[in-house]
Amino acid sequence: MRHAKQALLNDAHDELAALYACWAARDLTSLKAGLRDYHRRRVVMAPKIVSHLRQKLAALH
């Protein structure tokens, strides 16, 4: 799952770095907003991730 998700994300490192920066700065308001946005994007991406995994599985058979 993690590898499939990485194939579909262009800015995952930057996204996590921004969340870490909020955590390190103890900016809980921004951290909560960032985590909420992060989760929403992943929920939206779920069908794409599943499709990607199905394609990879089909290629094995």
Side-chain angles (χ1 to χ4, degrees), residues 42-59:
R42 295 314 184 270
V43 168
V44 168
M45 286 183 63
K48 292 178 185 178
I49 294 169
V50 170
S51 176
H52 182 77
L53 289 171
R54 284 185 178 157
Q55 289 174 3
K56 285 189 157 269
L57 182 61

Side-chain angles (χ1 to χ4, degrees), residues 3-56:
H3 294 289
K5 192 167 54 171
Q6 286 176 350
L8 299 171
L9 292 172
N10 295 328
D11 61 345
H13 184 270
D14 294 337
E15 187 176 40
L16 292 174
L19 289 172
Y20 178 77
C22 292
W23 171 259
R26 302 291 191 253
D27 182 355
L28 297 183
T29 301
S30 295
L31 179 61
K32 286 178 184 179
L35 286 171
R36 186 174 46 249
D37 293 344
Y38 175 92
H39 184 258
R40 284 183 186 148
R41 281 190 294 277
R42 295 314 184 270
V43 168
V44 168
M45 286 183 63
K48 292 178 185 178
I49 294 169
V50 170
S51 176
H52 182 77
L53 289 171
R54 284 185 178 157
Q55 289 174 3
K56 285 189 157 269

